[in-house]
Amino acid sequence: MLVETAPQIIDFCEQCERIQGVVNGELVESIIDYWLLYADGTEVYREIKYSADLQPSSKKFGKALRQISAQKEYCSRNSYNHEVFTDENIRDKRLLITNLRFLIPFGRDERRCKEAEKLVLKELMKFEQLSIYKLYKNINYNEESLKYAVYYLLYKRRLQADLDNQPLGPRTEVRLCQNQE
C-alpha cells in the first residue's frame, strides 16, 4: 500500500526480478520484492524483511544475509539502487497506512463527481492550501460530492496532505500536487 500510493513512485512491479549471485562461493537465487520507478527516473529494487530475521541470533539470518548480498551485488553490477525495508520501517508509518486504507475505497469508486473535482482543483488554485472543512465552506456545492472529490484526488495523488502525521479529517490541510499547479 505504501508503494501503490506514494506520489513520487510512478511505476512499480512486485516480485518481477529473479536474480542469481554467488555469495561466499555459493550460488544464491532470490526474487527481489519490488522494482520501483520514481518520478525523477531513479530505479530502485527494494527487499522487505522482518527486522528479527536480520539479527545474528535469528535462524533465518544467514539466508536473509545471502539473499540481500546477492541482490546488492546484482544491483551494483547493473547500476541499480537497492534498499532493504523492514517491518520497523512500515510500523513507523501506521498513521499513514490508516489514512491510506481510508482513501482506497474513494480511489476505486466510479460514482465520483467530476464536476466537484474541477471545483476543488479550481478553489485550491486560489490558495496555497486549505483545510478540507474550508473547501466545503468556500464551494457552493453538495458537501458529499465534494468529500468524495477531495478523497479521490488525494488517492490519485492530485492533492497532497500531511497524511504521515495527522489523521485525515475536516481539519486536514490539502494542497495541489506540484505537478498540478
Side-chain angles (χ1 to χ4, degrees):
M1 182 182 315
L2 294 174
V3 169
E4 294 171 359
T5 57
Q8 66 276 23
I9 296 174
I10 59 171
D11 199 7
F12 71 95
C13 183
E14 291 182 67
Q15 299 191 335
C16 60
E17 192 76 33
R18 179 184 295 272
I19 62 107
Q20 289 184 335
V22 177
V23 178
N24 298 328
E26 180 184 338
L27 181 64
V28 176
E29 286 191 10
S30 180
I31 299 174
I32 303 175
D33 290 323
Y34 286 99
W35 166 81
L36 310 170
L37 176 61
Y38 286 82
D40 67 1
T42 303
E43 293 182 62
V44 175
Y45 282 93
R46 181 181 291 171
E47 182 67 10
I48 310 293
K49 292 289 184 202
Y50 287 108
S51 56
D53 294 345
L54 300 177
Q55 301 301 317
S57 58
S58 170
K59 292 178 183 178
K60 297 181 180 181
F61 176 72
K63 181 180 179 183
L65 193 60
R66 286 190 301 277
Q67 285 180 328
I68 291 169
S69 296
Q71 291 174 9
K72 284 184 180 280
E73 191 275 325
Y74 169 84
C75 288
S76 176
R77 188 175 60 234
N78 292 288
S79 300
Y80 296 124
N81 296 306
H82 182 270
E83 61 190 19
V84 177
F85 262 46
T86 68
D87 52 313
E88 290 176 3
N89 299 113
I90 296 165
R91 193 174 19 255
D92 289 344
K93 299 197 178 286
R94 271 194 199 142
L95 182 56
L96 175 61
I97 291 169
T98 298
N99 285 331
L100 294 175
R101 280 191 181 132
F102 175 80
L103 289 175
I104 285 172
F106 294 95
R108 296 180 178 157
D109 192 342
E110 294 304 317
R111 296 179 296 160
R112 68 185 215 271
C113 178
K114 292 181 183 180
E115 181 62 29
E117 291 171 30
K118 289 177 190 175
L119 291 169
V120 167
L121 294 172
K122 184 178 177 182
E123 188 68 15
L124 282 170
M125 285 182 197
K126 298 178 194 174
F127 300 92
E128 189 170 313
Q129 67 181 28
L130 282 175
S131 71
I132 293 173
Y133 174 79
K134 284 188 179 177
L135 266 174
Y136 297 163
K137 293 301 172 199
N138 289 1
I139 302 171
N140 185 18
Y141 202 78
N142 176 283
E143 193 171 306
E144 191 69 14
S145 294
L146 291 173
K147 178 180 83 169
Y148 267 76
V150 168
Y151 293 158
Y152 176 82
L153 293 167
L154 279 167
Y155 180 82
K156 292 297 185 180
R157 301 183 238 159
R158 295 185 64 200
L159 296 182
Q160 292 177 314
D162 187 11
L163 300 177
D164 293 69
N165 298 308
Q166 73 176 109
L168 186 57
R171 292 184 182 164
T172 303
E173 297 277 327
V174 294
R175 63 195 168 280
L176 295 173
C177 286
Q178 291 181 355
N179 60 355
Q180 293 294 312
E181 296 175 4

